[in-house]
Each structure stands twice: as C-alpha cells, then as structure tokens.
Amino acid sequence: MDGLDWNAALAALAWQVDLGATEAILDAPVNRYELGDVQPVPKAAAAAMAATAALDPVAAADPVEEARRAAAAARSLEALRGAMAAYDHCDLKRGARNTVFCDGSPAARIMLIGEAPGREEDAAGRPFVGRAGQLLDRMFAAIGIARTSPDPETALYITNVMPWRPPQNRDPSAEEVAMMKPFLERHVELAAPDLIVVMGNTACSAVLGRTGITRLRGRWAEAWGRPVLPMCHPAYLLRNPEAKREAWADLLEVKARLGR
C-alpha cells in the first residue's frame, strides 16, 4: 500500500469493508497467552476500527440507544410508525417486504402484542393475517371483540414485538428484540390501552422479561403500568388443539377484566 495518498487508502479500505473484511489483523501472529489478562488493542487495529466506524456510522452507533431516542421523539402513532420504518440498525429490515406496524383500532381498550410477522403478514403489511390470525379473530369474536370494531369497548388493537419478518420464520434473537423494545414501549404509551395481552414467548420476554409461556399463561402480571395477560400464540394452538381449552379460560379472564 506504499505510495497511496490518503484518499486512495480510504477508498481501498472502503472496498475491503464492502467485501466483508471488517476484522483488523497484524502482520505477525500474536501469542495471546503471553499477553496476560489485559490485552490492549494494537495501534494498527485501533486505527482500522476507527476508520471502519467513520465509513459506516450506522454500524458504529449503539442500536438500542438510537432506538430509545427515535421512539422518545415520536409524538403520535404515525410518527412512531415513521421512526420504525426509518430505523436501519436491525438487519431483519433488509430482508422484509414491509414494516408491519399495527392493525385494528388504536382506541381499543385491549392491545395485543404478538411475536413477529410471518410470510403472509410480511406480504400484507399487517399483523396476524395468516392461519394463526384467522384463529385469533375467531377466538376474540367468541367474547365479542374484533379488530374491525369501531367501538373502543369491543375493538382490538394488534401489534408485534418485531415489525419485520425473521428469515424462515425463526425466533428473533435477543439483540433484535432489544433494538425494538423501546419502540414497543412507546407504542404502548401512545395507544394507552386498559390492558395488554402478550402472545407467545417472544412477546412475553419483551414485555415481562420472562419466558415459559405454557407456565405463565393465564396469570396476570404488570408492565409499563398496565395489567398484562400472557396467552399461548394461535400458531401453538393450531399445533396443539388440546390447549384451546386453556386459551378459552384466558379469554374469559380478559372479558372479566374488561367488566363485560
């Protein structure tokens, strides 16, 4: 690289970063066992890391802190939708067709939080529209609640922890959930429901900080100043029809809490 001016060297570094060469190494191998507990970053490596951060400021930022700032700045649900759509730290966004924000009435007394969009939801840009969503609609219709209802007393408001579909419908990682949790908390603040229903382990973990949905379902908890009822996800009920009896008991709990 001798003879390169600053601009040429920077362009060469950018080319290597684009190729995926983001780890700085030395000219000779290092015996880490001889370095002791403290392993200072070599000057060359530190310089390369700084240059990489300068080339890619999005990667250099703290994703969770960026999410907190963006969420806090949103003063309406539409502004929050725009902030989420503009958030570029989560790699799931790159493979998704749509940002799946919500469905139903924001004025509803019940806010339902699912896990992440599937293939049908990603295509439609709305949560719970596949087979699991159809079962969800039938479940809440049994207690007189519908996402299409214009009356807040009988309406349902639906969102997910993750607005983008994970590849192959895998579970979102802890890092991905941490990035989106500030947006979810702000979503709850702006919608201001009387109670929250969380469906599935991912939603339970994001809202309550606990997992084990089959153990936690049907037990009221509290998050962000509101009562929260964990329930099994409709996709689980499709695979395990015998669990529908417990889901019906949970729905009756919701109905009773609403005073209906």
Side-chain angles (χ1 to χ4, degrees):
M1 301 291 286
D2 292 339
L4 290 180
D5 60 18
W6 185 89
N7 290 318
L10 185 61
L13 178 60
W15 176 71
Q16 293 180 62
V17 170
D18 287 341
L19 291 177
T22 57
E23 299 294 330
I25 60 175
L26 301 177
D27 294 332
V30 176
N31 187 344
R32 300 283 176 184
Y33 292 103
E34 295 178 354
L35 294 179
D37 293 332
V38 179
Q39 301 181 10
V41 177
K43 291 183 179 179
M49 287 166 24
T52 300
L55 289 171
D56 191 357
V58 171
D62 180 347
V64 177
E65 185 56 35
E66 287 287 322
R68 289 195 188 102
R69 285 197 290 266
R75 294 292 180 262
S76 68
L77 289 172
E78 278 305 308
L80 184 66
R81 182 197 293 265
M84 290 175 67
Y87 183 76
D88 288 329
H89 292 281
C90 185
D91 288 341
L92 295 182
K93 179 181 176 182
R94 293 169 173 79
R97 296 178 62 183
N98 284 295
T99 297
V100 179
F101 185 67
C102 71
D103 198 15
S105 171
R109 296 180 63 191
I110 305 174
M111 183 173 187
L112 187 145
I113 301 174
E115 299 183 331
R119 180 174 59 85
E120 294 88 350
E121 289 77 15
D122 182 38
R126 294 165 48 229
F128 284 96
V129 297
R131 287 185 64 219
Q134 294 164 16
L135 176 57
L136 175 77
D137 289 341
R138 294 196 298 271
M139 289 166 59
F140 277 89
I143 60 169
I145 302 292
R147 69 172 90 188
T148 56
S149 174
D151 182 359
E153 291 293 324
T154 58
L156 183 64
Y157 187 55
I158 306 173
T159 190
N160 281 319
V161 175
M162 305 303 301
W164 302 297
R165 180 194 179 195
Q168 307 302 315
N169 289 349
R170 65 163 172 80
D171 290 337
S173 69
E175 292 76 14
E176 291 163 348
V177 171
M179 289 182 203
M180 305 316 298
K181 186 174 178 178
F183 292 107
L184 181 62
E185 183 174 3
R186 184 62 176 150
H187 203 156
V188 172
E189 290 175 356
L190 291 170
D194 289 347
L195 63 89
I196 300 169
V197 173
V198 291
M199 287 194 150
N201 263 326
T202 297
C204 203
S205 175
V207 176
L208 298 175
R210 288 176 282 172
T211 57
I213 190 64
T214 56
R215 182 182 69 256
L216 296 172
R217 57 132 298 270
R219 300 182 181 182
W220 287 98
E222 183 174 313
W224 304 322
R226 291 173 172 82
V228 178
L229 184 68
M231 289 184 63
C232 290
H233 197 281
Y236 174 84
L237 300 179
L238 289 172
R239 297 190 302 268
N240 301 274
E242 66 278 3
K244 290 182 179 179
R245 178 181 296 181
E246 296 173 340
W248 174 242
D250 297 341
L251 289 168
L252 293 179
E253 282 285 329
V254 171
K255 183 178 181 180
R257 181 61 68 103
L258 291 173
R260 302 182 68 248

